Amino acid sequence: MHTYARTSIPMTTLVTGARGSVARGVVTRLLAAGRDVRIASSDPTALDPAPGVEAVRLSLAEPAADAAAALRDVHSVFLYAEAAGIADFLAAARAAGVRHIVLLSSAAAAAPDPAANPLAASHHAVEVAVAESGLPYTVLRPGAFAGNTIGWKYRLLGADSIQLPYPDAQLAPIHEDDIADVAAAVLLTGDRLGETLDLNGPESMSFADQIAILSDVLGHELPFVEVSREEALADLTRHMNEGYANALLDLWQHSVDPEPVSGTTEAITGRPGRSFRAWALDHREDFAGLAAPRG
Ligand SMILES: NC(=O)c1ccc[n+]([C@@H]2O[C@H](COP(=O)([O-])OP(=O)(O)OC[C@H]3O[C@@H](n4cnc5c(N)ncnc54)[C@H](OP(=O)(O)O)[C@@H]3O)[C@@H](O)[C@H]2O)c1
C-alpha cells in the first residue's frame, strides 16, 4: 500500500501598501471571500488587522530586508507601483514561488513616450519590470480617482475658492471601490493573466460638473475660480515637483473631449461602475468641517 505525502498549496494573498485606499478595499473583499490574507505596510504599527490577518513590515521603496518574510507561502500579491524597489521585490517574489501579481498602475503608463512624462515613467518602469519578471501578472491601469477631489476640501479650508486652470477638462473619475472590486475578482479567480486592464468611471464629466455634484450632495456650494496655468503651477508645486505638476496640467489641458468609458468594471464584476454622485455620497464625511459660503 502506498502512502502519499499530503501537499498543501498555499493560497495566501499578500496585500502591499495596506494603508492605501484601494488596498483596504481589496483586503475586505478577499477576507469576505474566505482567502487567507497577509497585509504589508511601510508602517505596520498603523494597521488594524482583522482577526487572523498577519500584518508585516514592507516598504516597497526598500523591500530587500523584509520581502522574503512578507512573501512566505504567498500565492498572489496586490502590488502598488513603486519603481525604487521593484527589482528586489520581484526577485523575492520569484524565490517565493508567487503565482500571480496584480499591479495597481496608472492610465498614465499608456503615454506614447513614457520617459518624457514623469507621471507615466514611474508606472511604466514598474509595468515593464513586472512583465519581464517571468511571473504571471495582471496590470490595472485606472484613470483619475474620484478621491482626488478630497484635495479641494483642503484648498477650501485655507482659501475662499477652489482654483481650476481647466474647469472644463473631461475625466471619467473612478471610485476606489470599483478598483478594489476588479483587483479582488482578478486575485480570486486567477483570470486575466498577462492582461492590462484599463479602468475608469462610468461617466465622463468636467471638473465643474464634479464640483456641482459635490455641492449638491453636501448641501452647500463649493465655490471655484478659473486661474491661469501659471497660477495653478505655483499652487501645485507646493505639494509636488514641477515635472509632475506640468504633466498633470498637460493632461487636463488636453482632456477636451469626453473620456471614453472603458466598461472594464462591468465586464469583470457584472455591474456598472459606481457614479461620481455615489462616490460623493460615500465620502460626505471626508468633506466635514467645510463651512457653507457666506452670503
Ligand atoms: N490618484 C489618481 O488619480 C491615480 C490615478 C491612477 C493611478 N493611481 C495609482 O494609485 C496609487 C494610489 O492608490 P491609493 O489611493 O490606494 O493609495 P493611497 O491611499 O494614496 O496610499 C498610497 C500608499 O501610501 C502609503 N501611505 C503612507 N502614509 C500613509 C497614510 N498616512 N495613510 C495612508 N497611506 C499611507 C501606503 O503604503 P504603506 O501602507 O506601505 O505605507 C499606501 O499604499 C497612486 O500611487 C498611483 O500609483 C492614482
Side-chain angles (χ1 to χ4, degrees):
M1 190 175 122
H2 295 283
T3 53
Y4 294 93
R6 203 188 140 124
T7 54
S8 66
I9 302 168
M11 285 297 281
T12 299
T13 298
L14 176 70
V15 177
T16 69
R19 289 184 294 167
S21 65
V22 177
R24 283 183 276 122
V26 172
V27 170
T28 306
R29 286 156 177 78
L30 295 178
L31 291 175
R35 177 68 59 92
D36 287 336
V37 174
R38 184 177 299 143
I39 56 179
S41 170
S42 62
D43 183 4
T45 63
L47 300 174
D48 182 17
V53 173
E54 186 188 4
V56 298
R57 201 197 111 75
L58 179 68
S59 162
L60 290 175
E62 293 179 355
D66 300 309
L71 286 159
R72 182 179 36 83
D73 288 342
V74 161
H75 168 267
S76 56
V77 178
F78 176 73
L79 182 65
Y80 278 86
E82 172 53 67
I86 190 64
D88 286 340
F89 182 83
L90 291 171
R94 263 196 310 269
V98 166
R99 302 301 307 144
H100 194 182
I101 289 183
V102 175
L103 172 68
L104 177 61
S105 182
S106 167
D113 181 8
N117 173 336
L119 269 181
S122 55
H123 289 97
H124 186 258
V126 176
E127 287 191 8
V128 170
V130 168
E132 290 179 351
S133 70
L135 291 164
Y137 69 89
T138 307
V139 171
L140 308 182
R141 280 185 177 170
F145 287 15
N148 294 343
T149 61
I150 293 173
W152 292 335
K153 169 191 170 168
Y154 295 103
R155 172 84 205 171
L156 287 173
L157 287 175
D160 288 339
S161 50
I162 300 163
Q163 296 191 325
L164 295 179
Y166 303 109
D168 298 326
Q170 285 279 328
L171 298 169
I174 185 164
H175 195 308
E176 63 278 1
D177 284 350
D178 284 337
I179 307 173
D181 278 345
V182 169
V186 171
L187 284 162
L188 288 166
T189 59
D191 290 344
R192 306 286 183 161
L193 297 183
E195 292 189 33
T196 295
L197 304 175
D198 295 321
L199 297 173
N200 60 8
E203 188 186 5
S204 182
M205 60 181 68
S206 67
F207 286 129
D209 294 334
Q210 292 179 46
I211 289 175
I213 291 169
L214 270 173
S215 298
D216 189 42
V217 166
L218 298 175
H220 59 83
E221 191 197 344
L222 302 184
F224 77 86
V225 288
E226 186 165 347
V227 297
S228 68
R229 182 179 174 117
E230 291 67 33
E231 286 172 289
L233 183 65
D235 188 42
L236 287 171
T237 49
R238 294 191 297 131
H239 313 289
M240 63 182 75
N241 74 41
E242 196 167 334
Y244 275 99
N246 270 312
L248 268 182
L249 290 165
D250 288 344
L251 170 72
W252 298 337
Q253 181 180 5
H254 296 112
S255 298
V256 175
D257 297 321
E259 180 178 326
V261 169
S262 72
T264 305
T265 299
E266 186 157 6
I268 291 198
T269 69
R271 49 143 203 82
R274 294 163 175 87
S275 66
F276 183 75
R277 180 173 290 275
W279 181 88
L281 287 163
D282 287 346
H283 287 270
R284 262 181 301 201
E285 288 303 309
D286 291 331
F287 291 85
L290 284 183
R294 287 184 298 276

